[in-house]
Amino acid sequence: MANPGNTPARAEARTEARPEARTEARAAGRPRDARLDTAILSATRELLAEVGYPGLTLEGVAARAGTTKPAIRRRWASRQLLVITALGEIMGTAPTPDTGCTHCDLILGIETIGQAFGGTFGRRTLPALIADLAGDPELDRVFADTIFHPRRATTRAALLRGIERGDLRADADLDLLLDLLAATTYHRVLFGHMPIDDRLAHDVVMTVLDGAATPRWREHYRQRHDG
């Protein structure tokens, strides 16, 4: 007589419970459809803009993407992980550009934060997501590895280039500068007390460099912009 504890449904449930088993099963089966991944992430971003993170459901994403909730679950184990991936694609991990101009590079790099989270999108998404991160160390790690650290690393590289050019002091506290450069945008997203306008990145970078720049950079800036 068959053992009721070993039915196909129960075996499938045990497989779904183990992430490594899901990976093995996927590798042995059909390749994952990248077009469906793209559709799911696009639907997630659209719904975040419309209803915000608190109102986003996997059922809603599935309906918008033309797929099913189990199909999403096979790719992302939770709603939070799906949202983090979608946000990571919005912000991107492209390096802060190297234009040969320290303040130009930093302005362009910091602008990406405002472009990603500006307007109602960031206000509807980031505060509630950050609250979820506070109670889940593993989710917090994924967020940091997907969004926080990659962007921070590219801006650090821009600061190091500024030191090499002689624009920034060699003894500048890079971690403090990184916090100062990004903090204003995140602060306005989280609290919504002031807008993220087109001048914000420029004004933040110029204020920070006013304290960290060398006389060489000050003269360079004066010649280029005060004439």
Side-chain angles (χ1 to χ4, degrees):
M1 181 172 62
N3 183 347
N6 288 322
T7 63
R10 289 180 183 274
E12 182 180 353
R14 287 196 299 272
T15 298
E16 288 295 317
R18 293 189 301 116
E20 66 274 16
R22 290 200 300 271
T23 302
E24 293 164 2
R26 185 183 300 134
R30 294 183 302 178
R32 202 164 93 176
D33 186 350
R35 292 173 300 178
L36 183 55
D37 290 8
T38 299
I40 292 169
L41 292 171
S42 296
T44 301
R45 291 190 293 268
E46 291 171 6
L47 287 170
L48 285 172
E50 294 173 16
V51 303
Y53 176 71
L56 184 134
T57 65
L58 293 184
E59 291 85 355
V61 173
R64 179 68 61 93
T67 186
T68 64
K69 182 177 176 180
I72 297 176
R73 286 283 192 185
R74 284 194 293 271
R75 291 161 170 78
W76 292 276
S78 69
R79 179 177 70 110
Q80 291 90 339
L81 291 172
L82 171 60
V83 169
I84 288 172
T85 302
L87 292 181
E89 290 207 342
I90 291 172
M91 292 196 70
T93 56
T96 297
D98 182 1
T99 66
C101 168
T102 298
H103 65 277
C104 302
D105 294 351
L106 294 173
I107 291 169
L108 291 170
I110 297 304
E111 278 179 342
T112 62
I113 303 174
Q115 291 166 356
F117 294 123
T120 59
F121 179 88
R123 186 78 181 124
R124 290 175 174 176
T125 302
L126 200 58
L129 178 59
I130 294 298
D132 277 355
L133 301 182
D136 189 332
E138 177 59 21
L139 189 66
D140 186 54
R141 182 194 64 77
V142 173
F143 179 87
D145 290 347
T146 303
I147 296 175
F148 184 79
H149 293 314
R151 295 304 309 160
R152 191 175 176 89
T154 66
T155 307
R156 178 184 289 273
L159 292 172
L160 290 172
R161 292 195 299 268
I163 292 174
E164 291 173 359
R165 294 187 190 111
D167 291 340
L168 303 180
R169 300 196 316 265
D171 64 346
D173 186 334
L174 296 188
D175 285 319
L176 179 59
L177 290 177
L178 289 167
D179 286 346
L180 290 170
L181 288 166
T184 303
T185 301
Y186 283 123
H187 194 75
R188 293 189 181 189
V189 171
L190 290 172
F191 296 101
H193 61 295
M194 293 184 71
I196 300 172
D197 56 32
D198 293 339
R199 291 279 308 175
L200 182 61
H202 172 274
D203 292 347
V204 167
V205 169
M206 298 308 295
T207 299
V208 171
L209 288 190
D210 192 45
T214 61
R216 174 192 178 281
W217 175 82
R218 296 175 197 277
E219 178 61 20
H220 164 75
Y221 183 81
R222 185 190 67 77
Q223 291 177 358
R224 287 189 60 175
H225 299 280
D226 290 350

